[in-house]
């Protein structure tokens, strides 16, 4: 072992010996934390997950002992590379997530750095309070990360930036000592300056440094108030009132101290919010209308251009958000007014509408009076980053490096025109959206940084935009910070004198340069450490699935742009990603798994990497719910990627017995049904369950499905006989033939569901024919048995391609089976079958339908009529949709069916995953986690539903 490796091992051992939190130095953990949402990648030395401030102090002390840097990190959503570096990464987001205290009278909250912005707002909402900074990543951005970047967001014109809401903080300094930074009177500053500690030196040096260079500070800092670049030295000038060193730490990107707790100020929630959407022919027309909205007192003025709107219309997830727009605007403005009462807010809207009309601004206005409508438009605005990142073609990606500039709002129109001319001169296109109220538009050119010459073109654009910003007395970094993308330009932007002050501040706080070095000052060129150029060419790998686009399987994993939408907290809604929500661990997010796969698929022998135990561990907790395919802005399909990886793992290590059992569940269920009721006895016998747990790993605490002797096939034979005995008139079908899939579950364990579906389809006029003896391969796919799955699917294609080609619907009531036909079947056929078989699979996919959809259509056209005397009429119904059904956006039919029940009220749960996920909840090592997942939202919703509520 080399000296460097030995030193790394000693560092790891020292951290493990003194920290309560986890310590990870393996290659996959380092790779997962080598990136953030930026274009950069630097592999860290290792990762630790501090449990408390004592762990943070210990980590900083040990790093000092070994003379290595430390890097505090929140959600890793930084766009400028702030949270990547050759350091020991402190992941503050996993354990340090407590809201320590809320003081409604003082309107403050004490929080740990890992608290998520939206979670804090939910917690203080009961007091009518709000943490005002409003980032678009609020469902995963941490307060610590917001402090590090001095974040703000759409409400900044009214409420300012994070720095305006931080009263004080507890920090760990570079020498591992603890300090409390807060507003101090002069006598207290003098008292704390006495002594020989690092903290006392701060109180001696910083006030003197600022006072001696006050004129440099006043003349070097741009007049625009939206500043997250550099150090905020102007906030500690003598005229600023009591000295508060926390105002230097805010926006310092972890280079001055590590925050372990912060006291943040809260504001009163508005009594009422009114909103409207102004429609304009172009971006510049919208920008010119923005100052009018500000003059009328708007809190929020957000711009979205035509590119963003068109992308939303093309997105299955966001399409509904753009449905209420009038015509085809070149840009829209989303405007919010906050007021004490609803009439006051409505009057503000009316006044703005009248002014725009009088001044000929815009061609249409759509009001958003209800919270639901407002939430939809806010979601559309917050989706901008993801929509743009998903829009790249031919290797181009929406690239963040000039996206954070800001100028005075009344000069934004001219600034934007000149900005656009720079992009045009360099042959680039970009989407325009962002905070018109603050003069900040997020403009991300589409580039392919892996292409020769592209980094140089990026630098040329960055330098041209920098000069433009300086011409307008604006800010080069207005909310996303400097990081690696903009830190290099701080000397040119602020001037030599101010930059030397920044270096002196850094040396005073961090004499040995160990806190996130290479950010803010002494930053390498922006074209160093770029992620895409450093990726080797993807090695060849034969796969079972066909992965579209360049790069095959690695390309599919590398679609991830690392913006962290998979890291949202459970209360944030949606289903992605259940295992991350439960564990709060990066490697169990879609992003973490994608980065691990990119690592494995970049080595010369990717087949060997796919067989590695550590990679298998990273992928293990993916529940294959497919929420990522719909909720991830880049549609990273981790379920399919995991299945492919499992197939290669099996090739290297063989297929375990339990995997074979669950993969062949159709055969298992068929045998169990044939032997019922005797086959049900072992499931209720303790010693047998204990043996099953020990030998196969099926947890004894989980009830097993009960096999039914009277299968769906038998019931269908009786149904056919009854149908033949009916009079010709009553038995005549008007809709034509329909093939009903006899799936593995409704055939043998819950045949009454299949029977009811068939009877309803028959009543609706369909000539129902049962398809038995073929299988969609769902369970085999989920267990990575892809050769066996394709064998089953090939038989299915041979049997069903003819009817499918003739337009016959192929219908089932098990969502995972039907949606397998629409999704995995074509991909597996294209990757493993012949072109002819692939064509047949696509024909089947086009005809695959859920029974709910056909029945909902029959209700709509009157072929079916609900029974007003039904026992469920008039009841409240709580509906929890199937994960795959939600991921495919296929809930509408089920909801329409339920809402057709006379007098029924239907509540559609946004409760994520139940935790079962096929076989996952049966497996001993996953049992407890499955309960945790179900217990986050679903179980409480069901428990609180009331006795008369029907849960489906």
């Amino acid at each position: 072992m080399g000296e460097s490796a030995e030193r790394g091992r000693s560092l790891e051992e020292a951290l493990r010996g003194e920290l309560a939190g986890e310590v990870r130095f393996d290659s996959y953990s380092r790779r997962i934390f080598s990136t953030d949402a930026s274009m950069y990648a630097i592999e860290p030395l290792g990762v630790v997950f501090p449990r408390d401030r004592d762990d943070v102090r210990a980590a900083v002390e040990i790093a000092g002992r070994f003379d290595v840097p430390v890097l505090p990190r929140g959600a890793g959503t930084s766009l400028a590379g702030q949270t990547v570096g050759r350091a020991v990464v402190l992941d503050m987001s996993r354990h340090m997530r407590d809201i320590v205290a809320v003081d409604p009278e003082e309107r403050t909250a004490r929080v740990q750095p890992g608290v998520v912005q939206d979670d804090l707002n939910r917690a203080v909402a009961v007091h009518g309070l709000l943490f005002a900074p409003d980032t678009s990543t609020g469902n995963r951005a941490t307060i610590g990360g917001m402090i590090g970047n001095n974040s703000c967001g759409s409400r900044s014109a009214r409420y300012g930036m994070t720095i305006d809401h931080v009263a004080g903080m507890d920090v760990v300094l570079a020498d591992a000592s603890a300090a409390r930074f807060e507003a101090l009177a002069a006598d207290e500053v003098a008292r704390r300056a006495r002594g020989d500690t690092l903290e006392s030196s701060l109180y001696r040096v910083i006030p003197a440094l600022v006072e001696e260079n006050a004129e440099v500070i006043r003349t070097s800092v741009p007049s625009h108030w939206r500043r997250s670049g550099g150090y905020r030295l102007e906030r500690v000038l003598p005229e600023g009132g009591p000295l508060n060193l926390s105002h230097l730490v805010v926006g310092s990107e972890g280079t001055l101290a590590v925050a372990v707790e912060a006291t943040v100020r809260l504001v009163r929630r508005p009594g009422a919010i009114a909103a409207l959407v102004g429609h304009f022919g172009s971006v510049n027309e919208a920008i010119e209308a923005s100052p009018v909205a500000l003059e009328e007192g708007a809190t929020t003025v957000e711009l979205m251009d035509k590119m963003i709107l068109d992308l939303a219309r093309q997105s299955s997830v966001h399409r509904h958000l753009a449905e209420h727009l009038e015509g085809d605007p070149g840009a829209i403005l989303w405007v919010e007014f906050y007021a004490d009462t609803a009439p006051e807010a409505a009057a503000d809207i009316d006044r703005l509408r009248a002014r725009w009309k009088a001044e000929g601004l815009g061609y249409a206005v759509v009001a958003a009076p209800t919270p639901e409508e407002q939430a939809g438009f806010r979601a559309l605005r917050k989706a901008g980053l993801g929509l743009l990142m998903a829009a790249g073609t031919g290797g181009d990606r929406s690239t963040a490096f000039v996206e954070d500039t800001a100028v005075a709002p009344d000069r934004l129109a001219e600034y934007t025109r000149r900005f656009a001319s720079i992009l045009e001169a360099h042959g680039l296109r970009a989407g325009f959206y962002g905070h018109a109220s603050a003069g900040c538009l997020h403009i991300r050119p589409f580039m392919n940084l892996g292409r020769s010459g592209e980094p140089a073109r990026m630098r040329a654009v960055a330098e041209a935009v920098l000069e433009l910003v300086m011409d307008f007395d604006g800010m080069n970094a207005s909310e996303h910070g400097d990081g690696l993308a903009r830190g290099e330009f701080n000397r040119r932007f602020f001037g030599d004198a101010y930059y030397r002050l920044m270096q002196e501040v850094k040396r005073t706080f961090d004499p040995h340069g160990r806190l996130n070095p290479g950010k803010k000052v002494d930053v390498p060129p922006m074209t160093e450490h770029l992620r895409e150029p450093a990726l080797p060419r993807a090695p060849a790998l034969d796969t079972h699935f066909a992965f579209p686009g360049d790069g095959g399987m690695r390309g599919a994993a590398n679609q991830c742009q690392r913006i962290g939408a998979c890291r949202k907290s459970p209360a944030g809604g949606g289903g992605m990603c259940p295992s991350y929500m439960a564990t709060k661990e990066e490697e169990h997010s879609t992003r973490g798994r994608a980065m691990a796969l990119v690592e494995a698929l970049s080595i010369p022998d990717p087949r060997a990497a796919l067989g590695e135990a550590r990679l298998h561990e990273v992928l293990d907790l993916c529940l294959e719910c497919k929420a990522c395919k719909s909720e991830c802005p880049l549609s990273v399909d981790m379920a399919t990627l995991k299945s492919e990886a499992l197939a290669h793992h099996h090739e290297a290590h063989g297929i375990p017995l339990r995997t074979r059992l669950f993969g062949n569940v159709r055969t298992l269920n068929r045998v169990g049904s044939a032997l019922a009721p005797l086959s049900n006895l072992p499931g209720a016998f303790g010693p047998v369950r204990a043996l099953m747990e020990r030998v196969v790993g099926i947890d004894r605490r989980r009830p097993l499905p009960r096999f039914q002797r009277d299968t769906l096939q038998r019931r269908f034979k009786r149904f056919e006989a009854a149908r033949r005995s009916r009079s010709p008139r009553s038995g005549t079908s008007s809709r034509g033939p329909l093939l009903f899939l006899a799936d593995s579950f409704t055939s043998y364990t819950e045949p009454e569901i299949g029977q009811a579906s068939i009877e309803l389809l028959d009543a609706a006029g369909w000539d129902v024919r049962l398809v038995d003896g073929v299988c969609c391969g769902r369970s085999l796919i989920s267990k990575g048995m892809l050769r066996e799955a394709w064998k089953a699917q090939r038989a299915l294609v041979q049997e069903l391609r003819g009817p499918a080609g003739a337009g016959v619907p192929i219908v089932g009531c098990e969502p995972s089976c039907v949606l397998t036909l629409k999704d995995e079947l074509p991909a597996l056929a294209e990757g493993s079958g012949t072109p002819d078989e692939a064509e047949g699979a696509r024909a089947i996919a086009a005809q695959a339908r859920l029974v709910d959809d056909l029945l909902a259509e029959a209700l709509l056209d009157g072929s079916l009529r609900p029974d007003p005397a039904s026992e469920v009429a008039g009841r409240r119904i709580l509906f929890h949709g199937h994960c795959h059904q939600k991921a495919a956006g296929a809930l509408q039919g089920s909801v329409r069916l339920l809402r057709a029940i006379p007098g029924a009220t239907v509540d559609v749960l946004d409760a994520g995953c139940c935790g079962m996920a096929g076989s996952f909840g049966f497996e001993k090592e996953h049992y407890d986690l499955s309960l945790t997942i179900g217990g986050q939202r679903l179980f409480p919703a069901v428990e609180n539903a009331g006795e008369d509520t029907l849960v489906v």
Side-chain angles (χ1 to χ4, degrees), residues 39 401 447 449 454-462 526-527 530:
M39 56 190 170
F401 65 101
M447 307 188 77
L449 295 180
E454 201 78 333
R457 180 162 66 150
M458 178 177 68
R459 168 178 285 284
V461 172
M526 68 173 298
T527 50
L530 294 174

Side-chain angles (χ1 to χ4, degrees), residues 55-92:
D55 267 4
V56 175
R57 291 185 66 182
V60 174
E61 188 278 325
I62 292 167
R65 198 190 311 163
F66 283 81
D67 193 24
V68 298
V70 293
L71 193 168
R73 172 172 164 136
T77 56
S78 301
L79 289 164
Q82 291 93 323
T83 57
V84 298
R86 189 67 176 162
V88 174
V89 170
L90 309 180
D91 183 348
M92 313 292 276

Side-chain angles (χ1 to χ4, degrees), residues 487 491 676 729 912:
R491 183 189 294 273
R729 181 178 179 181

Side-chain angles (χ1 to χ4, degrees), residues 166-177:
V166 173
M169 63 179 73
D170 294 349
V171 300
V172 172
L173 298 176
D175 66 349
S177 62

Side-chain angles (χ1 to χ4, degrees), residues 53 75 148 161 191 231 256 270 301 356 466 526 569 703 745 809 892 899-901 949:
R53 65 178 68 202
M161 309 185 73
R191 189 188 70 79
Y231 293 135
L256 302 183
V301 184
W356 274 353
L466 176 68
M526 68 173 298
S569 60
F745 310 103
Q892 289 185 344
R899 287 181 174 159
I901 298 172
T949 300

Side-chain angles (χ1 to χ4, degrees), residues 6 103 112 117 146 185 596 677 773 827 930:
E6 181 60 40
D103 187 334
Q112 291 183 322
Q117 173 191 327
M146 295 177 70
S930 75

Side-chain angles (χ1 to χ4, degrees), residues 694-759:
R694 186 167 63 251
V695 175
V696 188
I698 299 175
D699 198 286
R700 71 179 80 183
R701 293 166 290 182
R702 181 72 70 188
L704 297 176
R706 295 187 62 80
F707 302 113
Q708 301 293 318
R709 184 86 171 180
D710 191 13
T711 65
L712 178 62
Q713 290 81 350
R714 292 182 177 184
R715 295 179 185 219
F716 186 75
K717 287 181 179 179
R718 295 198 297 270
F719 166 79
E720 276 196 311
R723 185 169 60 181
R724 285 193 297 269
S725 69
R726 291 186 300 204
S727 66
R729 181 178 179 181
S730 64
T732 299
S733 297
S734 60
R735 294 180 184 267
L738 174 152
L739 302 182
F740 189 88
L741 288 175
D743 66 77
S744 304
F745 310 103
T746 54
S747 288
Y748 305 111
T749 60
E750 297 173 303
E752 65 278 4
I753 296 175
Q755 179 183 1
S757 299
I758 290 170
E759 290 173 353

